[in-house]
Amino acid sequence: MRHVVTKAHVLDVKPLTEPVLLILTSLADQPRHGYALIQDIESLSGGRVRLSTGTLFGALRRLLEDGWIERFEQEDTSRQKQAYRLTAAGRKQLQLELDRMKQLTRAGIARLRASEA
Amino acid sequence: MKRAYGILLRLYPRDYRAMFATEMSSAFEKASAERRQGRSVYARFALAELMALTMGAGAEWIAKLTTDSSVRGRSLPDRLLMRPPGVSWDAHYAGAFPSVPEEVSQAQERTELLVKRIIHAISQHDFTGARRYSDEERQARASLRSLRQKYQIGDTGGD
């Protein structure tokens, strides 16, 4: 049987941009609101990446559109505390990306070792 | 700085602003307070924020113009479609948009009614009637346009 690779499948395995990867990773353990995401991403990246609000909310809009995250209102908070959480599709994408990176890391390390030997 | 941020936020499409502007301003204020450790640190932060905001506005306009509204609706719901039945346009948008004078809303309703009549006439194969309603609709739309100009109201159908 012939397998047809559709555009959707190709898009599914497209590497994520760094801000998107960091946002998904930040939301993997718990929902967060905008400013909490900025702080957590800075801490996750060891202070290397500090997302500006323009970059963060642009990425959040695209992730909402893709259905990888969802927005909800946290109880006892104002509209300013709209929070974001991963959807099942977002979790799957993060897992796929981490697997891809793991495989790449393994291959890279193996080649480095081979060249040193 | 807060003022400059607010001005640049206005460059974004309206649906985007309705959804994110408050959150963005709030996050910016918090980040801004955290970065007041020295002039150079703050200046770098402010420059990065304003540049990202300007580029983000451009990217959002491109996204708006190139994305199908059904896809865009997943992240930015069309609030025109969310008006509950029985709630007037004015009541639903009170606070979100400036109130519309009675004269304008009547002209708008008349235009919408004529569009429905055209569609109904076409579905009944009454092409003579459809043409008549179409002429009336054209006149009603011209009248609505002049009323909007009179009250200095933008077209609510798009940005």
Side-chain angles (χ1 to χ4, degrees):
Chain A
M1 190 180 153
R2 211 176 111 204
H3 289 277
V4 179
V5 179
T6 63
K7 200 178 174 193
H9 286 112
V10 174
L11 287 175
D12 278 348
V13 293
K14 196 173 78 174
L16 306 180
T17 61
E18 191 175 25
V20 167
L21 177 64
L22 288 167
I23 291 169
L24 294 180
T25 308
S26 176
L27 294 177
D29 62 341
Q30 64 176 80
R32 291 179 210 275
H33 57 84
Y35 183 61
L37 274 168
I38 293 175
Q39 285 181 309
D40 190 52
I41 285 169
E42 193 170 4
S43 139
L44 261 176
S45 65
R48 190 176 56 82
V49 178
R50 193 180 190 290
L51 292 185
S52 65
T53 51
T55 308
L56 173 72
F57 284 91
L60 287 177
R61 208 257 319 140
R62 287 191 296 277
L63 289 170
L64 283 168
E65 195 171 282
D66 291 337
W68 293 1
I69 62 169
E70 59 191 1
R71 191 171 138 110
F72 71 104
E73 211 161 312
Q74 281 182 325
E75 276 182 30
D76 302 325
T77 56
S78 69
R79 194 169 180 270
Q80 294 178 357
K81 290 274 179 165
Q82 290 277 357
Y84 300 89
R85 63 182 162 213
L86 275 190
T87 60
R91 199 165 283 281
K92 191 181 163 197
Q93 286 296 330
L94 178 61
Q95 190 62 58
L96 279 172
E97 180 67 5
L98 294 177
D99 288 345
R100 192 187 68 81
M101 290 171 79
K102 214 188 291 176
Q103 191 205 344
L104 192 64
T105 309
R106 261 194 238 122
I109 290 171
R111 287 193 179 189
L112 272 178
R113 281 188 187 150
S115 70
E116 283 164 8
Chain B
M1 184 59 196
K2 193 179 160 186
R3 200 171 157 201
Y5 192 88
I7 290 168
L8 285 178
L9 259 183
R10 285 188 217 151
L11 296 174
Y12 279 81
R14 192 172 64 190
D15 55 357
Y16 183 98
R17 270 185 284 139
M19 193 75 160
F20 294 114
T22 316
E23 274 181 86
M24 286 175 81
S25 301
S26 163
F28 172 73
E29 277 172 40
K30 286 176 190 164
S32 184
E34 196 188 87
R35 296 275 147 176
R36 288 190 188 277
Q37 299 149 342
R39 274 189 186 177
S40 66
V41 174
Y42 188 74
R44 249 182 290 145
F45 158 77
L47 189 67
E49 280 288 337
L50 297 184
M51 276 175 65
L53 208 59
T54 313
M55 290 193 296
E60 285 307 323
W61 272 109
I62 292 170
K64 184 181 169 73
L65 297 172
T66 55
T67 311
D68 187 82
S69 59
S70 63
V71 175
R72 190 165 172 85
R74 293 180 204 155
S75 59
L76 302 170
D78 183 352
R79 293 193 297 170
L80 284 171
L81 300 175
M82 293 165 66
R83 179 160 56 105
V87 175
S88 74
W89 195 96
D90 285 351
H92 184 62
Y93 288 100
F97 299 107
S99 64
V100 176
E102 185 66 24
E103 209 179 353
V104 178
S105 83
Q106 278 177 0
Q108 200 163 326
E109 279 169 20
R110 166 129 184 95
T111 313
E112 285 166 11
L113 179 70
L114 286 166
V115 170
K116 282 180 190 161
R117 283 185 179 164
I118 294 169
I119 295 167
H120 180 72
I122 292 170
S123 71
Q124 298 298 312
H125 297 273
D126 174 14
F127 299 111
T128 319
R131 185 174 290 277
R132 194 177 65 243
Y133 291 132
S134 172
D135 291 341
E136 283 180 36
E137 191 261 351
R138 203 175 303 120
Q139 285 168 11
R141 204 170 280 281
S143 149
L144 177 61
R145 206 176 298 123
S146 65
L147 281 172
R148 279 183 175 147
Q149 278 170 356
K150 178 181 162 188
Y151 289 102
Q152 297 183 329
I153 300 169
D155 190 344
T156 51
D159 280 294

Short mmCIF file of all heavy atoms in Angstrom, two decimals, chain B residues 52-79:
data_model
loop_
_atom_site.label_atom_id
_atom_site.label_comp_id
_atom_site.label_asym_id
_atom_site.label_seq_id
_atom_site.Cartn_x
_atom_site.Cartn_y
_atom_site.Cartn_z
N ALA B 52 10.03 45.04 18.95
CA ALA B 52 9.25 43.81 18.81
C ALA B 52 7.78 44.13 18.58
O ALA B 52 7.08 43.45 17.83
CB ALA B 52 9.41 42.94 20.05
N LEU B 53 7.33 45.19 19.23
CA LEU B 53 5.92 45.59 19.09
C LEU B 53 5.64 46.07 17.66
O LEU B 53 4.63 45.71 17.06
CB LEU B 53 5.63 46.71 20.08
CG LEU B 53 4.20 46.83 20.58
CD1 LEU B 53 3.75 45.55 21.25
CD2 LEU B 53 4.06 47.99 21.54
N THR B 54 6.55 46.86 17.12
CA THR B 54 6.38 47.37 15.75
C THR B 54 6.40 46.22 14.74
O THR B 54 5.54 46.14 13.86
CB THR B 54 7.50 48.37 15.42
OG1 THR B 54 7.62 49.28 16.51
CG2 THR B 54 7.22 49.15 14.17
N MET B 55 7.38 45.33 14.91
CA MET B 55 7.47 44.21 13.96
C MET B 55 6.29 43.27 14.14
O MET B 55 5.74 42.74 13.18
CB MET B 55 8.78 43.46 14.17
CG MET B 55 9.98 44.27 13.72
SD MET B 55 11.49 43.33 13.59
CE MET B 55 11.78 42.83 15.24
N GLY B 56 5.88 43.10 15.39
CA GLY B 56 4.72 42.24 15.68
C GLY B 56 3.46 42.76 15.03
O GLY B 56 2.65 41.99 14.50
N ALA B 57 3.30 44.09 15.03
CA ALA B 57 2.10 44.69 14.42
C ALA B 57 2.08 44.38 12.92
O ALA B 57 1.05 43.99 12.36
CB ALA B 57 2.08 46.19 14.66
N GLY B 58 3.26 44.51 12.29
CA GLY B 58 3.35 44.20 10.86
C GLY B 58 3.02 42.74 10.60
O GLY B 58 2.24 42.41 9.70
N ALA B 59 3.58 41.86 11.44
CA ALA B 59 3.34 40.42 11.27
C ALA B 59 1.87 40.09 11.46
O ALA B 59 1.30 39.26 10.74
CB ALA B 59 4.19 39.64 12.26
N GLU B 60 1.24 40.76 12.43
CA GLU B 60 -0.18 40.47 12.68
C GLU B 60 -1.07 40.95 11.53
O GLU B 60 -2.05 40.29 11.21
CB GLU B 60 -0.63 41.10 14.00
CG GLU B 60 -0.15 40.36 15.22
CD GLU B 60 -0.49 38.87 15.22
OE1 GLU B 60 -1.57 38.49 14.75
OE2 GLU B 60 0.36 38.09 15.65
N TRP B 61 -0.71 42.06 10.92
CA TRP B 61 -1.50 42.53 9.76
C TRP B 61 -1.35 41.57 8.60
O TRP B 61 -2.32 41.25 7.91
CB TRP B 61 -1.09 43.95 9.36
CG TRP B 61 -1.87 44.97 10.11
CD1 TRP B 61 -1.41 45.80 11.09
CD2 TRP B 61 -3.26 45.26 9.97
NE1 TRP B 61 -2.44 46.58 11.57
CE2 TRP B 61 -3.58 46.28 10.90
CE3 TRP B 61 -4.28 44.76 9.16
CZ2 TRP B 61 -4.86 46.79 11.05
CZ3 TRP B 61 -5.56 45.27 9.31
CH2 TRP B 61 -5.85 46.27 10.23
N ILE B 62 -0.11 41.08 8.40
CA ILE B 62 0.11 40.11 7.32
C ILE B 62 -0.72 38.86 7.61
O ILE B 62 -1.41 38.32 6.74
CB ILE B 62 1.61 39.79 7.18
CG1 ILE B 62 2.34 41.02 6.65
CG2 ILE B 62 1.84 38.60 6.24
CD1 ILE B 62 3.85 40.94 6.69
N ALA B 63 -0.67 38.41 8.88
CA ALA B 63 -1.42 37.20 9.25
C ALA B 63 -2.92 37.42 9.04
O ALA B 63 -3.62 36.56 8.52
CB ALA B 63 -1.14 36.84 10.70
N LYS B 64 -3.38 38.61 9.41
CA LYS B 64 -4.82 38.90 9.27
C LYS B 64 -5.23 38.89 7.79
O LYS B 64 -6.28 38.37 7.43
CB LYS B 64 -5.13 40.25 9.90
CG LYS B 64 -6.62 40.59 9.88
CD LYS B 64 -6.87 41.94 10.50
CE LYS B 64 -8.30 42.41 10.26
NZ LYS B 64 -9.29 41.71 11.04
N LEU B 65 -4.39 39.48 6.96
CA LEU B 65 -4.75 39.61 5.55
C LEU B 65 -4.56 38.31 4.76
O LEU B 65 -5.12 38.15 3.69
CB LEU B 65 -3.93 40.73 4.89
CG LEU B 65 -4.19 42.13 5.47
CD1 LEU B 65 -3.20 43.13 4.90
CD2 LEU B 65 -5.61 42.59 5.21
N THR B 66 -3.76 37.41 5.30
CA THR B 66 -3.48 36.18 4.54
C THR B 66 -4.13 34.93 5.14
O THR B 66 -4.00 33.85 4.59
CB THR B 66 -1.95 35.92 4.44
OG1 THR B 66 -1.42 35.90 5.77
CG2 THR B 66 -1.24 36.99 3.64
N THR B 67 -4.79 35.09 6.29
CA THR B 67 -5.41 33.93 6.92
C THR B 67 -6.92 33.95 6.73
O THR B 67 -7.53 35.00 6.86
CB THR B 67 -5.10 33.92 8.44
OG1 THR B 67 -3.71 34.13 8.61
CG2 THR B 67 -5.49 32.61 9.08
N ASP B 68 -7.46 32.79 6.44
CA ASP B 68 -8.90 32.69 6.28
C ASP B 68 -9.57 33.02 7.62
O ASP B 68 -9.07 32.64 8.68
CB ASP B 68 -9.24 31.25 5.87
CG ASP B 68 -10.70 31.12 5.52
OD1 ASP B 68 -11.05 31.47 4.38
OD2 ASP B 68 -11.49 30.71 6.39
N SER B 69 -10.69 33.72 7.55
CA SER B 69 -11.33 34.17 8.80
C SER B 69 -11.74 33.00 9.69
O SER B 69 -11.76 33.11 10.91
CB SER B 69 -12.52 35.05 8.49
OG SER B 69 -13.43 34.33 7.72
N SER B 70 -12.06 31.84 9.08
CA SER B 70 -12.46 30.69 9.90
C SER B 70 -11.27 30.16 10.70
O SER B 70 -11.42 29.71 11.83
CB SER B 70 -13.02 29.58 9.02
OG SER B 70 -12.03 29.11 8.14
N VAL B 71 -10.08 30.26 10.12
CA VAL B 71 -8.87 29.81 10.83
C VAL B 71 -8.52 30.84 11.90
O VAL B 71 -8.22 30.50 13.04
CB VAL B 71 -7.69 29.63 9.84
CG1 VAL B 71 -6.41 29.30 10.57
CG2 VAL B 71 -8.02 28.54 8.83
N ARG B 72 -8.58 32.11 11.52
CA ARG B 72 -8.24 33.18 12.47
C ARG B 72 -9.21 33.18 13.65
O ARG B 72 -8.85 33.52 14.77
CB ARG B 72 -8.26 34.52 11.74
CG ARG B 72 -7.69 35.64 12.57
CD ARG B 72 -7.39 36.83 11.71
NE ARG B 72 -7.01 37.99 12.49
CZ ARG B 72 -5.78 38.23 12.91
NH1 ARG B 72 -4.83 37.40 12.63
NH2 ARG B 72 -5.51 39.31 13.61
N GLY B 73 -10.45 32.79 13.38
CA GLY B 73 -11.46 32.75 14.44
C GLY B 73 -11.12 31.79 15.56
O GLY B 73 -11.65 31.90 16.65
N ARG B 74 -10.19 30.85 15.32
CA ARG B 74 -9.80 29.91 16.39
C ARG B 74 -9.06 30.64 17.50
O ARG B 74 -9.13 30.26 18.66
CB ARG B 74 -8.88 28.82 15.83
CG ARG B 74 -9.56 27.90 14.87
CD ARG B 74 -8.54 26.87 14.39
NE ARG B 74 -8.90 26.33 13.11
CZ ARG B 74 -8.04 25.82 12.25
NH1 ARG B 74 -6.76 25.78 12.55
NH2 ARG B 74 -8.43 25.35 11.10
N SER B 75 -8.27 31.66 17.11
CA SER B 75 -7.53 32.39 18.14
C SER B 75 -8.19 33.72 18.48
O SER B 75 -8.11 34.18 19.59
CB SER B 75 -6.09 32.63 17.69
OG SER B 75 -6.05 33.37 16.49
N LEU B 76 -8.84 34.33 17.49
CA LEU B 76 -9.47 35.62 17.73
C LEU B 76 -10.93 35.53 17.28
O LEU B 76 -11.23 35.82 16.13
CB LEU B 76 -8.75 36.72 16.93
CG LEU B 76 -7.26 36.88 17.24
CD1 LEU B 76 -6.61 37.81 16.25
CD2 LEU B 76 -7.07 37.42 18.63
N PRO B 77 -11.82 35.09 18.16
CA PRO B 77 -13.21 34.93 17.77
C PRO B 77 -13.82 36.22 17.26
O PRO B 77 -13.52 37.30 17.78
CB PRO B 77 -13.90 34.50 19.06
CG PRO B 77 -12.82 34.13 20.00
CD PRO B 77 -11.59 34.84 19.57
N ASP B 78 -14.63 36.11 16.21
CA ASP B 78 -15.30 37.27 15.64
C ASP B 78 -16.47 37.64 16.56
O ASP B 78 -17.45 36.92 16.64
CB ASP B 78 -15.82 36.92 14.24
CG ASP B 78 -16.46 38.10 13.56
OD1 ASP B 78 -16.64 39.14 14.24
OD2 ASP B 78 -16.79 37.99 12.37
N ARG B 79 -16.32 38.76 17.23
CA ARG B 79 -17.33 39.10 18.22
C ARG B 79 -18.67 39.46 17.59
O ARG B 79 -19.70 39.46 18.24
CB ARG B 79 -16.83 40.22 19.13
CG ARG B 79 -15.68 39.72 19.99
CD ARG B 79 -15.36 40.66 21.08
NE ARG B 79 -14.91 41.93 20.55
CZ ARG B 79 -14.74 43.01 21.30
NH1 ARG B 79 -15.01 42.96 22.57
NH2 ARG B 79 -14.32 44.12 20.77
#
